[in-house]
Amino acid sequence: MNGSQDYVLYDALNNIKRNGEFNGSIIIKCKNENIILSESVVIDDNNLILPEGLLIGLDNINNSKKEAISESSHYTLRLDENLIEYCLLVPKELIEKFDKERFSDAFPYTINLLHSACLFLNDNNFSINHLDFFKGEILKNPVALINRGICLADRVVIDDTGDPIFYDTLIIGRDSHDHISVSYEAFITVDDVLIKYIIILGIESLKGHI
Amino acid sequence: MLLWENKKQKLLKILKIGINPFKKFVSTGEIKENLGLVSSRTDFLNDLEDIINKNENFILPIIGEIGVGKTHLFWALKDQLKDNYNTIYLSLENIYKRFYYNLYSEFIESIGVENLRIITNNLCFKWNGIDKKYGFFPISNLQKARNNGIERYGPSIDDKRALNDVINVITSHRLDPYNRIEAENYLLGELLNVRELSALNVEKDLRDKNNAFVLLKILIENSKSGTLIFIDNFEKIISLLKPNDETEVVFDSSWLYGSTENPDSRTAKKILKKILKLQKINSLRIIITLNSLNSLEEIKKLVSNIDHNLLLTFKDPVFLSKFQEGDIYSFYKDNMKEFLQHINYQDLTDEFANSYHPLTKEALKYIYQKADGNPREVIKLLIRIFNELIYHDATANDIDCRYKELC
């Protein structure tokens, strides 16, 4: 875990807010369990502005069905609406590690989904579980919301027991003092009971991704 | 149970199967030499390494008479520099035509495909060819990388068409998943058809000398390891320039080349110009081997006629001397040890660690004197003596009595 808190740009729980324009790898966790990824963010007294962000989450289609969304757009998030839990700029050295260990798309045995889809959803009303179907496969670009954190990985493999193993992973979460921490793991196995959802990002939303 | 074994007799029996421990008296750039240099040459090798490490863009002449071990030196040098340099052997006998293409092929063989991928990857990063979508997902920006590459190399490369071709291939190799395979084939020196070239947006393949030169320049300048080209038998240039009167003339070349020049001399001048053009590649080091100081002076005259300033890149020559007397003993022992290990008789190496069986120290001393310290002549005499042992049923005692007669 990274000890310094410089990378935290906004934290509603600990009253942290750093005004300014920030560029790099920005990740935002919303209180409604959505996640937003962006290359830049402008934070002023009232707003958090993302010129081009990718909103990842789940949307209610009707009372009995939810589906994954990954929407690219300009986002202006009003801070007084109290929608954001935290926003952080992932340290460069972690991103370098993350990039270095990525699988190339030329690797033949990985599955890229065309459109974003929910692989797993742990919800009392609308459960989704495709883990068994993809057992043993390598799925590219998973994003998972896990208990108190986010897991953004290059690929995920479902092991024999049906648990997902995330490879080349950035893990963002809160420690026992509720401080936000970000770390890198080459691979990590997560018990599916801890997972709220896993969304596999489709290459349509990442056009030009190499 | 075997209580005692006549090891000397055993060695002779092994030899009489028909294997001569000394069989190769000419080194080549293709077949690796496993035997290192003799001890008197260790300092020479270290001095060479020192020159190579402390200088860039030079031509270093190594002078030594025929058979003194100049080509063998290449293998020792390659081994010594293996961690920091790609050492490439060139024989002007072999790369008479398509000089840059052949040189490029040797370079690629030396660095390997993995290093090639690392170089193109780093170049595309340097040229900002990879953007981050949403801050996390790398996406290629081919056009930006191409523009930056051309901007970086445009001022130093005259042939813009060749530069365009090469930049297109390098960027496609890393950033264009649809043409990656074709780009890699191109970079590995394979000849592509028109359809493949057009997919890469390239006009010519590496048979075009400008394309080969530009690609060589960019890859060498961006390789993590330094590059050293060892051009053996550089006198070939001089011999080509001089007309050979003994050759029967079937076709009067003056019709094509005028009365003052023959085709060989034109080729020689072209090769020389191409070698000198290599000086435009930053951090490239060149070693040339010559038989005599006179040849070097002749070469310098030719270079001076082309561009006097290029003479400044010539370092003072270093001289590879003959064997010293002690060298023949260590050479003989090392060679026999390697021979026995090669034929899987390691147990005999300890037995003969302190003897020269089936020869004697006196015989080796005589061979050294007879060969006047020239390694190739030494090996030739050793081959002759061992052939006598192998094929004429001679014993070690016979050899001891007759070595003078056999030399």
Side-chain angles (χ1 to χ4, degrees):
Chain A
M1 291 281 174
N2 199 319
S4 163
Q5 293 279 297
D6 291 348
Y7 50 82
V8 180
L9 306 180
Y10 178 83
D11 182 359
L13 193 66
N14 293 311
N15 288 323
I16 297 173
K17 187 161 86 71
R18 292 173 61 197
N19 283 6
E21 185 177 344
F22 303 92
N23 293 301
S25 305
I26 288 147
I27 192 159
I28 295 167
K29 188 181 172 217
C30 302
K31 287 185 176 169
N32 64 359
E33 297 188 341
N34 285 343
I35 296 164
I36 306 175
L37 307 178
S38 177
E39 197 180 354
S40 65
V41 63
V42 179
I43 303 176
D44 61 27
D45 288 342
N46 306 313
N47 301 304
L48 204 144
I49 303 157
L50 305 165
E52 194 190 9
L54 181 73
L55 176 79
I56 303 157
L58 291 145
D59 197 15
N60 283 319
I61 293 180
N62 54 42
N63 289 337
S64 61
K65 201 173 177 190
K66 276 189 175 182
E67 76 167 11
I69 49 163
S70 61
E71 287 174 1
S72 172
S73 182
H74 172 101
Y75 291 98
T76 301
L77 306 166
R78 287 171 58 103
L79 295 175
D80 58 6
E81 285 178 358
N82 204 18
L83 291 171
I84 304 164
E85 187 184 335
Y86 56 75
C87 167
L88 60 94
L89 175 67
V90 181
K92 263 187 183 170
E93 58 272 20
L94 294 186
I95 288 292
E96 276 167 16
K97 261 189 200 173
F98 183 59
D99 284 343
K100 205 175 159 192
E101 298 302 318
R102 272 181 194 281
F103 263 19
S104 155
D105 269 2
F107 188 76
Y109 307 111
T110 52
I111 295 174
N112 272 302
L113 298 190
L114 198 57
H115 295 284
S116 300
C118 184
L119 178 69
F120 181 81
L121 172 64
N122 195 357
D123 188 300
N124 291 335
N125 300 323
F126 326 97
S127 285
I128 297 173
N129 190 344
H130 297 308
L131 297 178
D132 270 353
F133 182 80
F134 286 105
K135 202 177 266 185
E137 303 290 354
I138 307 169
L139 289 161
K140 283 282 284 181
N141 303 320
V143 179
L145 191 67
I146 301 165
N147 208 6
R148 282 157 63 92
I150 297 167
C151 189
L152 179 68
D154 176 55
R155 52 200 182 274
V156 62
V157 177
I158 316 304
D159 72 7
D160 286 343
T161 59
D163 287 333
I165 308 170
F166 295 93
Y167 287 86
D168 186 29
T169 313
L170 290 169
I171 299 164
I172 298 111
R174 289 192 187 274
D175 61 17
S176 52
H177 304 288
D178 282 334
H179 292 145
I180 296 170
S181 59
V182 53
S183 65
Y184 172 85
E185 294 292 337
F187 66 92
I188 184 167
T189 308
V190 184
D191 193 335
D192 58 7
V193 296
L194 299 172
I195 300 171
K196 288 196 174 163
Y197 64 72
I198 303 173
I199 289 172
I200 306 297
L201 296 177
I203 51 173
E204 277 294 316
S205 53
L206 312 172
K207 260 187 185 155
H209 175 45
I210 47 170
Chain B
M1 187 170 139
L2 186 64
L3 292 175
W4 181 81
E5 190 180 19
N6 187 341
K7 298 270 174 71
K8 288 184 176 178
Q9 202 59 40
K10 188 177 179 181
L11 176 61
L12 278 179
K13 276 188 179 171
I14 292 166
L15 293 172
K16 282 180 192 296
I17 295 169
I19 327 166
N20 194 326
F22 300 89
K23 53 190 172 204
K24 204 163 101 208
F25 56 86
V26 179
S27 270
T28 66
E30 286 83 33
I31 302 167
K32 190 179 180 214
E33 294 288 336
N34 296 320
L35 220 56
L37 290 186
V38 289
S39 51
S40 72
R41 291 181 175 182
T42 314
D43 288 343
F44 180 80
L45 192 61
N46 290 336
D47 290 346
L48 274 186
E49 190 182 4
D50 214 34
I51 295 171
I52 291 162
N53 284 335
K54 287 180 179 164
N55 298 279
E56 285 187 351
N57 285 88
F58 60 79
I59 296 177
L60 174 67
I62 295 180
I63 295 173
E65 64 179 52
I66 295 169
V68 83
K70 297 186 291 292
T71 312
H72 189 215
L73 175 72
F74 160 74
W75 289 106
L77 200 58
K78 187 179 170 79
D79 193 48
Q80 177 113 340
L81 301 174
K82 65 177 180 245
D83 293 335
N84 300 316
Y85 291 90
N86 305 308
T87 310
I88 301 160
Y89 178 88
L90 280 189
S91 167
L92 293 183
E93 304 275 357
N94 300 338
I95 54 163
Y96 209 69
K97 286 181 180 171
R98 297 196 196 286
F99 178 80
Y100 291 131
Y101 177 63
N102 284 309
L103 175 58
Y104 179 80
S105 303
E106 297 290 338
F107 173 73
I108 283 296
E109 199 178 325
S110 167
I111 65 167
V113 69
E114 283 305 319
N115 284 324
L116 173 70
R117 286 175 188 159
I118 290 170
I119 296 172
T120 58
N121 201 17
N122 290 343
L123 280 171
C124 289
F125 269 108
K126 271 189 202 168
W127 297 339
N128 294 324
I130 296 169
D131 292 338
K132 282 281 178 66
K133 190 138 192 183
Y134 310 122
F136 290 89
F137 307 100
I139 56 163
S140 61
N141 193 334
L142 261 174
Q143 204 48 51
K144 189 172 161 193
R146 284 175 181 172
N147 292 344
N148 288 337
I150 286 167
E151 196 178 306
R152 161 72 183 80
Y153 282 98
S156 59
I157 292 168
D158 301 330
D159 190 330
K160 303 300 175 208
R161 201 258 325 136
L163 178 63
N164 258 327
D165 280 2
V166 166
I167 298 276
N168 283 353
V169 173
I170 290 173
T171 48
S172 294
H173 185 232
R174 175 65 184 88
L175 304 174
D176 183 357
Y178 301 106
N179 290 311
R180 192 170 285 162
I181 293 170
E182 282 83 2
E184 185 151 300
N185 289 342
Y186 187 103
L187 292 169
L188 290 175
E190 286 182 25
L191 306 178
L192 306 186
N193 59 38
V194 180
R195 190 190 57 77
E196 291 165 322
L197 290 176
S198 122
L200 289 169
N201 198 12
V202 161
E203 278 184 41
K204 295 185 175 175
D205 62 23
L206 291 177
R207 281 174 293 188
D208 178 86
K209 62 176 187 290
N210 290 333
N211 281 32
F213 175 78
V214 172
L215 188 52
L216 201 56
K217 176 178 166 70
I218 293 178
L219 294 187
I220 287 177
E221 287 181 359
N222 290 284
S223 169
K224 220 175 176 183
S225 314
T227 302
L228 171 72
I229 300 179
F230 189 99
I231 308 177
D232 205 6
N233 191 18
F234 205 74
E235 260 126 349
K236 178 78 183 166
I237 297 274
I238 302 171
S239 64
L240 286 172
L241 283 169
K242 289 176 183 165
N244 187 354
D245 295 337
E246 289 171 12
T247 313
E248 188 185 353
V249 177
V250 180
F251 160 69
D252 183 3
S253 58
S254 64
W255 283 84
L256 276 178
Y257 302 105
S259 54
T260 52
E261 275 192 312
N262 62 30
D264 282 347
S265 72
R266 282 175 66 90
T267 311
K269 281 179 187 167
K270 273 187 188 173
I271 292 176
L272 187 61
K273 278 183 186 168
K274 284 175 183 171
I275 290 170
L276 294 173
K277 196 179 168 189
L278 291 175
Q279 289 299 309
K280 289 186 178 174
I281 300 177
N282 293 333
S283 80
L284 180 67
R285 292 130 169 114
I286 298 175
I287 285 179
I288 59 174
T289 67
L290 295 157
N291 293 334
S292 68
L293 205 50
N294 290 339
S295 303
L296 178 62
E297 292 310 317
E298 278 192 63
I299 296 281
K300 281 188 170 177
K301 265 186 210 164
L302 290 170
V303 173
S304 170
N305 289 338
I306 295 167
D307 183 353
H308 191 74
N309 290 333
L310 285 170
L311 284 179
L312 297 172
T313 61
F314 275 75
K315 291 252 154 221
D316 290 338
V318 289
F319 295 87
L320 185 60
S321 50
K322 297 173 181 177
F323 269 7
Q324 291 174 4
E325 190 186 323
D327 293 336
I328 190 171
Y329 306 124
S330 59
F331 168 74
Y332 177 84
K333 276 187 181 174
D334 290 346
N335 201 87
M336 286 300 284
K337 188 178 172 185
E338 207 233 329
F339 163 71
L340 290 170
Q341 281 173 346
H342 184 67
I343 59 169
N344 228 359
Y345 276 91
Q346 286 95 331
D347 55 324
L348 290 180
T349 56
D350 296 336
E351 183 72 20
F352 298 111
N354 297 314
S355 87
Y356 302 98
H357 188 78
L359 304 189
T360 58
K361 192 168 183 178
E362 289 70 35
L364 288 173
K365 186 176 179 178
Y366 184 80
I367 289 168
Y368 170 77
Q369 285 163 351
K370 188 80 183 169
D372 195 23
N374 183 302
R376 185 175 293 167
E377 294 307 316
V378 166
I379 298 171
K380 279 182 182 173
L381 291 175
L382 285 167
I383 290 173
R384 198 180 298 168
I385 290 171
F386 272 85
N387 277 348
E388 188 69 15
L389 264 171
I390 296 165
Y391 301 113
H392 298 100
D393 223 19
T395 62
N397 284 339
D398 293 339
I399 295 298
D400 198 23
C401 301
R402 292 175 52 218
Y403 65 82
K404 287 186 183 172
E405 181 193 321
L406 290 167
C407 284

